[in-house]
Amino acid sequence: MNSVTCQISISLDGFVAGPNQSPENPLGEGGMRLHEWAFASAGWRRAHGLEGGEPGPDSDVADEVIAGTGAYIMGRKMFGGDHGPWDPEWRGWWGEDPPFHVPVFVLTHHPREPLQMQGGTTFTFVTDGAQAALEQARAAAGDKDVSIAGGAKAVQQYLAAGLLDELYLHIAPIVLGAGERLLENVGDPKLDPVKVVASPAATHIKYRVIR
């Protein structure tokens, strides 16, 4: 069976988004700094159809977390479009060719028809919970992994339910002070570190979640 993984950037004080998040500033104040390691890397830029970027450990990590993923799950806030019923004009943050290139399942309380985008990405909106989204994502992923893309509450649901197999944290050397914490309301998961990759921009620690 395919694994359920999550890779996410986090501050030294445990936040995956800064304070005062809004539709105009979804990562909150200072939140973009969490991802500077990725933005500068050749691997991340290549996945987003951009040229340039730096080779090295951060680029290798960016390549690694994309390879082997057959489907994604994300929360409504990560897909965006504010709260409540959907604005049919909202098609995500990423334009008409999102960087996923595989099926993406969006957790939401409001139904919406699937959005077929360029490059192989189709957003499917799931209204009957995290388990139902995982079943659909597993079927779509085939023998590849399912990645929980975020945000924090989506990751928390899968970790608390014992459904996550791997958690890969990209620890940025910054302190946000407030915002959206990742490891809240998840019980007492047992995490076994299996890989550490360090660079001046981030420390990447991969954990196996032990059930």
Side-chain angles (χ1 to χ4, degrees):
M1 182 180 291
N2 39 25
S3 295
V4 183
T5 69
C6 171
Q7 60 90 18
I8 194 165
S9 295
I10 189 169
S11 68
L12 288 172
D13 50 347
F15 296 100
V16 295
N20 300 317
Q21 292 173 264
S22 68
E24 295 74 28
N25 189 15
L27 291 177
E29 296 171 7
M32 291 292 285
R33 296 166 62 205
L34 292 167
H35 305 280
E36 288 178 351
W37 71 269
F39 298 153
S41 74
W44 184 91
R45 294 182 64 83
R46 186 164 49 248
H48 288 74
L50 302 172
E51 296 181 354
E54 295 293 325
D58 294 320
S59 182
D60 293 343
V61 168
D63 286 333
E64 177 189 357
V65 298
I66 294 167
T69 298
Y72 292 90
I73 297 172
M74 67 175 60
R76 165 73 186 263
K77 185 184 287 188
M78 182 170 177
F79 183 80
D82 214 347
H83 304 288
W86 289 100
D87 174 359
E89 299 299 317
W90 180 259
R91 296 170 64 86
W93 304 104
W94 305 278
E96 291 301 307
D97 187 8
F100 304 102
H101 309 301
V102 294
V104 180
F105 297 85
V106 182
L107 300 168
T108 177
H109 296 296
H110 299 276
R112 182 175 182 176
E113 291 298 311
L115 282 178
Q116 187 169 349
M117 313 294 282
Q118 298 174 18
T121 301
T122 297
F123 293 106
T124 299
F125 302 90
V126 182
T127 58
D128 44 357
Q131 182 66 57
L134 180 55
E135 291 171 3
Q136 293 181 54
R138 282 193 188 278
D143 60 355
K144 294 188 174 182
D145 293 339
V146 174
S147 178
I148 312 302
K153 287 184 173 56
V155 179
Q156 289 164 9
Q157 288 184 65
Y158 288 97
L159 188 55
L163 297 172
L164 199 65
D165 298 305
E166 179 182 290
L167 179 62
Y168 204 169
L169 298 181
H170 314 298
I171 305 169
I174 65 171
V175 175
L176 290 176
E180 193 164 16
R181 284 193 183 277
L182 179 66
L183 297 177
E184 287 188 341
N185 305 311
V186 296
D188 184 21
K190 306 301 181 185
L191 304 177
D192 180 20
V194 296
K195 183 176 183 178
V196 179
V197 178
S199 81
T203 302
H204 311 275
I205 307 180
K206 181 187 291 188
Y207 296 92
R208 181 185 298 113
V209 183
I210 302 172
R211 297 195 177 95

